[in-house]
Amino acid sequence: MTPYSPPLRDITFVLRELAGLDEIAGLPGFEDATSDVVQSVLDEAGRIASQVLAPLNQTGDQQGIRRENGTVKTPDGWRQAYRTLTEGNWIGLSCPQEFGGMGLPGVVDAAVSEMWQAANMAFSLCPMLTQGAINAIRTCGDEALQAKYLPRLVSGEWAGTMNLSEAAAGSDLGAIRTKAVRKDGHYLVSGQKIFITYGDHDLTENIIHLVLARTPDAPVGVKGISLFAVPKMLIGDDGKTIRRNDVQCLSLEHKLGIHASPTAVLSFGEKEGAIGFLIGDENRGLEYMFVMMNHARLNVGLQGLAIAERAYQQARAYAQERIQGRPIGCSAPSAIVDHPDVRRMLMGMKAEIEAMRALAYLAAAALDRAQAHPLPAERDAAKRYAELLNPIVKGWCTERGFEIASTGVQIHGGTGYIESTGAAQHLRDARITTIYEGTTGIQANDLINRKILKDGGLTLDRSLDDAGKTARELAQHDDPILQDIGNALNRAVGDAHRASRWLQDVAAEDPRQAAAAGVPLLLLLGTVLGGHEMARAARLAVIRAAETDTDQGFYRTKLKTAWHYAEAILPRSSGLLGTIIRGSRTVMVLDREEL
Amino acid sequence: MTPYSPPLRDITFVLRELAGLDEIAGLPGFEDATSDVVQSVLDEAGRIASQVLAPLNQTGDQQGIRRENGTVKTPDGWRQAYRTLTEGNWIGLSCPQEFGGMGLPGVVDAAVSEMWQAANMAFSLCPMLTQGAINAIRTCGDEALQAKYLPRLVSGEWAGTMNLSEAAAGSDLGAIRTKAVRKDGHYLVSGQKIFITYGDHDLTENIIHLVLARTPDAPVGVKGISLFAVPKMLIGDDGKTIRRNDVQCLSLEHKLGIHASPTAVLSFGEKEGAIGFLIGDENRGLEYMFVMMNHARLNVGLQGLAIAERAYQQARAYAQERIQGRPIGCSAPSAIVDHPDVRRMLMGMKAEIEAMRALAYLAAAALDRAQAHPLPAERDAAKRYAELLNPIVKGWCTERGFEIASTGVQIHGGTGYIESTGAAQHLRDARITTIYEGTTGIQANDLINRKILKDGGLTLDRSLDDAGKTARELAQHDDPILQDIGNALNRAVGDAHRASRWLQDVAAEDPRQAAAAGVPLLLLLGTVLGGHEMARAARLAVIRAAETDTDQGFYRTKLKTAWHYAEAILPRSSGLLGTIIRGSRTVMVLDREEL
């Protein structure tokens, strides 16, 4: 078992100084998010993460999930840990109070989610999916449906799932074949769904499956998909469960990682038909599912950040303990943390993690503003910004998160390759994050088509202009480190602007070339926008350090970490730019048979 | 089970056109390496790889290794597969005929090794380590020792191992504590060794452990280490095994990957002392071990290449089969290989694999020249070049190999995360290659200190000058693709030259900064020198295509693949250069407690 120490100081800094928590707390609906409340929520969430969830992470991985007598058993201790969440009303943290939630901003939920995913990702997928189901029903379901399902989902008595994939319909949801036929005020759903996370388990008495399916006369493709709530246990008018619905868990997957998270093949309607309830209108299922997916995508981005933080903490502890060799400039054998190459790895991990945290929380804060700001223009701007950041946070934080988890193994040397060390589990767990809820390629498609090209690059340019402004201001600052950061950011923003212009030039005449550039462009933008947040953090650190006597250590560390990000991480932008503008045109030069 | 198809066409191209096999076959000692012999060796090795070893790869992973009644059992079918190797005299492929080998050049062995590691890395570690032991005994042992051990190691009747690591001595071999006390013409060895690959198994009747240990009066540190041959079974004067030596396998590690390769904790001399025989002179053990390690490092580099090729083949097959979505420009749903982002991944894998193959074989060819060239100056130049390439091939091919194996998972989407698919095994297996036989950080230290700084950058500059010359020639060529390649290579070589000069400037005044730049510099040099080989390949492809009517498809594909390497992969050099010259100075800015 490796400990997890919630990085509360940096979390609080990012929430308050970068993501604008105080301003968000002033928006209508978030009145309860006082400074005291937020701090005690974070403290308690951190305590649960480190004391309840983290100790179950490795044992969960080792035990995995078992099927016994038709039920799916979670590992030892998981039911009790789940009760801790429900007793504290944690699942409803950001749900309105009318449904039993705590009504806190989503950005606070993001911070809590980071800690829980870091502590135990396989476990925390369960509440994460329930929150997604809550969002979808809240946003798209009618009042009756909301009254029926929301209170028990919010309380955590019931769990929720997302049922999208079928054997022949993964990234392409237009190919979905699951059927839903109207009958007696509900629908009979039949078909098979795969890769259903927490598709069956013993943590709750009921599971509400949100299922994409087609009605008989639906248009072909994505325009003919509807969304249904299909409970595992049917519910009577009194709200009590009556009997099993016709939903079977056929099998569980044996996966590379997240061994304790049940990934199920679910069969709907093998016998009499699974009873389901339409959410919203027919044929708008994909639109509704996106509500859930966008939440899930932000949260998967947070998983990338979270596992990176966990892997970093473990590697740091090992590097500070493990005596090996005589580092340059040391007169005696010393801990490997003093070897420049080990330090390079740790420093890079730390810098990227802090940038990822800043960008992910910013995306969550933008969603809060988009939802709650009183001014329509502000809501609209926040919505566009949140939509731009969504695929970047999902794609960039997970790609980097996996790489950082792998670096964590590397720092351990041969010990990292031994499973009992625990470092390899982070790598295995992290590997799914670039795949589920839309692969990085799917995120990149979303980014270039719906988030950049659709508005002529306006939202992106605005973000990059902001970054460029920060860069120029810092380059003029008295502090030489801030100058360095400003100059480095300026170069990187220039690269990002060039890539954006190239994309817009090339997209019309050669859309395949534009598509081929999607992933490197996503990574470039993550690197640069994350770098902007680190630059802002550095400037604030200088300001705060001058204002106060406390926390000098934190601010000095933040400044230097941002410096390293600027000098060691931001230069990647030039390599990515080259790959984008030169390398995209040679992606399709071979016939597929020549590969 | 996923098939493996030996890439014989590219292997032959690289051997003949880039690595200079014909010239090597003309060197003294390699007279038997006629064109026909080499081709039939490669064909037969490819057949064994695809038909004998590849089918056991996934079952081996699933069964793993078992301890039963004090013996270590390999998975089903392994003993039979091993017999195929010994019956064909494959282990002695590049050993002199006087010891029963085939006397072929090492570069041919490298090609064979690539295929076997690709087919089944966990299995092929066994002959690889035996070959390393053969090299060490051949190079450093006296005649009696050679006569005693070499014939049966070469025949494969016995296997060999490397015993370096101890609990407190991993990367730092100076910390080794295993003792060896002289007695009656041999030594009694006692101590515990960890991470011993194939430390115990049932494939051979005996195992010759090469063990680093200290004699009682040895100097401290690496200068007091001696090398011993410690057989598992003691051998009588008639060459027959008599009884167990005092060597115990205490346990086997449960690892992330290479499940079927036994990684043992070995205890020497728990009872009466393990009888060992000094190899060469006392206190020269580290020097001798490097003979073995350099062989092993080249071979681990080949493993990186090999797993990348295997992962590529599997991902390509999946991408050509799996129908999903409607790619841009396609009127109907199509295989995912036609999606630009999937093509980007496959194209990048293919281009890097071919560059890795070229550089790895070049390193093997340089070793052949260093050993067999009649002119001392040529031998010396080849030796320096081989020594420069050794850490680059080990570090770069394994880092890229892991990344490519991970990309193979990504192309499979959710299916790749399911263990039965087999893509995840490649990722798990590949993960050890950047760690064992010296981590990438250790390779980078070797590269900058012993291979670059020690000779004032002379050997490196010569290699880069060669690359620059090729670049300028291609930039002047009539063929527009060769021009592109030449221009791209020229930029990248410029980056490498700048990095090399920076290293030499900074090393004297700030060695920690130089050390911090080691890994990115290693990756930069791998990228650029690999790019040089791809540029040479492209030029040769144009020449050969003009000369002949056959193989036009291969040459056209090679040219375009090299083009993609130049345009999409080489631009990484600018990002790496920035990280090196700007980022290295901020690596150590935090105190270790501030991390």
Side-chain angles (χ1 to χ4, degrees), chain A residues 167-172 195 253-258 312 316 320 322 324-325 328 334-335 337-338 340-341 343-344 346-347 350 402-403 406 409-410 413-415 417-419 424 427-429 431-432 434-435 439-441 484 491 511-512 515-516 519-520 556-557 560-561 563-564 567-568 571 574-575 578-579 582-583 585-592 594-595, chain B residues 167-172 195 253-258 312 316 320 322 324-325 328 334-335 337-338 340-341 343-344 346-347 350 402-403 406 409-410 413-415 417-419 424 427-429 431-432 434-435 439-441 484 491 511-512 515-516 519-520 556-557 560-561 563-564 567-568 571 574-575 578-579 582-583 585-592 594-595:
Chain A
S171 294
D172 177 19
F195 297 151
E253 305 292 356
H254 175 53
K255 307 186 299 294
L256 173 62
I258 49 170
Y312 169 67
R316 179 181 62 188
Q320 287 175 337
R322 167 77 175 168
Q324 191 72 183
I328 300 168
S334 176
V337 67
D338 289 330
D341 185 60
R343 189 67 70 90
R344 175 188 65 83
L346 287 167
M347 196 67 197
K350 177 175 167 64
F402 173 69
E403 175 100 8
S406 181
V409 172
Q410 188 72 16
T415 306
Y417 202 61
I418 308 298
E419 282 288 2
L427 179 143
R428 290 188 287 98
D429 288 351
R431 190 62 193 80
I432 189 59
T434 66
I435 295 174
T439 64
T440 310
D484 275 356
R491 286 189 294 272
R512 295 201 305 178
V519 169
R556 192 175 53 235
T557 302
K560 290 181 182 171
T561 306
W563 192 25
H564 183 70
E567 300 292 30
S574 73
T579 296
R582 300 194 63 85
R585 68 202 174 107
T586 54
V587 162
M588 308 290 290
V589 291
L590 293 186
D591 293 337
R592 57 149 91 174
E594 293 177 309
L595 281 168
Chain B
S171 294
D172 177 19
F195 297 152
E253 305 291 355
H254 175 52
K255 308 185 299 295
L256 174 62
I258 49 169
Y312 169 67
R316 177 181 63 187
Q320 287 175 336
R322 167 77 174 169
Q324 192 73 182
I328 300 166
S334 176
V337 68
D338 290 331
D341 185 60
R343 188 68 70 90
R344 174 187 66 81
L346 287 168
M347 196 67 195
K350 177 176 169 62
F402 173 69
E403 174 99 9
S406 181
V409 172
Q410 188 72 15
T415 306
Y417 202 63
I418 308 299
E419 282 287 1
L427 178 143
R428 289 188 287 98
D429 288 351
R431 190 62 193 81
I432 190 59
T434 66
I435 295 174
T439 63
T440 310
D484 275 356
R491 286 189 292 272
R512 296 202 303 177
V519 168
R556 193 175 52 235
T557 302
K560 289 180 182 171
T561 306
W563 191 24
H564 184 69
E567 300 291 32
S574 73
T579 296
R582 299 194 65 85
R585 69 201 172 106
T586 53
V587 162
M588 308 290 290
V589 291
L590 292 186
D591 293 337
R592 57 150 88 176
E594 292 177 308
L595 282 168

Side-chain angles (χ1 to χ4, degrees), chain B residues 251-273:
Chain B
S251 60
L252 298 176
E253 305 291 355
H254 175 52
K255 308 185 299 295
L256 174 62
I258 49 169
H259 288 162
S261 163
T263 303
V265 177
L266 292 187
S267 177
F268 293 87
E270 281 200 354
K271 300 170 201 159
E272 70 278 11

Side-chain angles (χ1 to χ4, degrees), chain A residues 549-558, chain B residues 594:
Chain A
D549 284 341
T550 58
D551 259 358
Q552 292 286 328
F554 174 80
Y555 295 124
R556 192 175 53 235
T557 302
K558 178 62 89 176
Chain B
E594 292 177 308

Side-chain angles (χ1 to χ4, degrees), chain B residues 93-113:
Chain B
L93 191 72
S94 64
C95 295
Q97 293 172 341
E98 58 177 304
F99 299 116
M102 292 167 69
L104 292 177
V107 71
V108 177
D109 208 14
V112 171
S113 179

Side-chain angles (χ1 to χ4, degrees), chain A residues 398-550:
Chain A
T398 60
E399 291 285 343
R400 299 311 305 158
F402 173 69
E403 175 100 8
I404 288 169
S406 181
T407 304
V409 172
Q410 188 72 16
I411 289 171
H412 284 81
T415 306
Y417 202 61
I418 308 298
E419 282 288 2
S420 59
T421 305
Q425 184 192 345
H426 305 318
L427 179 143
R428 290 188 287 98
D429 288 351
R431 190 62 193 80
I432 189 59
T433 61
T434 66
I435 295 174
Y436 64 11
E437 308 303 341
T439 64
T440 310
I442 296 288
Q443 304 305 320
N445 266 343
D446 179 49
L447 173 67
I448 60 175
N449 293 311
R450 283 187 287 274
K451 311 300 171 63
I452 300 180
L453 294 172
K454 201 174 168 188
D455 78 352
L458 203 70
T459 308
L460 174 60
D461 283 348
R462 210 170 280 162
S463 299
L464 293 177
D465 288 343
D466 276 354
K469 186 160 167 283
T470 303
R472 285 187 301 278
E473 288 167 6
L474 292 195
Q476 306 294 326
H477 201 281
D478 291 339
D479 186 297
I481 293 182
L482 289 184
Q483 285 173 22
D484 275 356
I485 295 173
N487 288 325
L489 181 60
N490 208 31
R491 286 189 294 272
V493 169
D495 290 339
H497 265 307
R498 279 185 64 196
S500 163
R501 277 195 299 273
W502 173 90
L503 176 74
Q504 291 171 66
D505 290 345
V506 88
E509 65 195 56
D510 189 354
R512 295 201 305 178
Q513 209 182 127
V519 169
L521 179 65
L522 183 154
L523 297 176
L524 169 57
L525 294 179
T527 306
V528 175
L529 296 178
H532 179 209
E533 295 315 308
M534 288 305 278
R536 290 180 61 212
R539 177 167 56 187
L540 284 159
V542 168
I543 294 170
R544 295 288 174 268
E547 287 170 355
T548 169
D549 284 341
T550 58

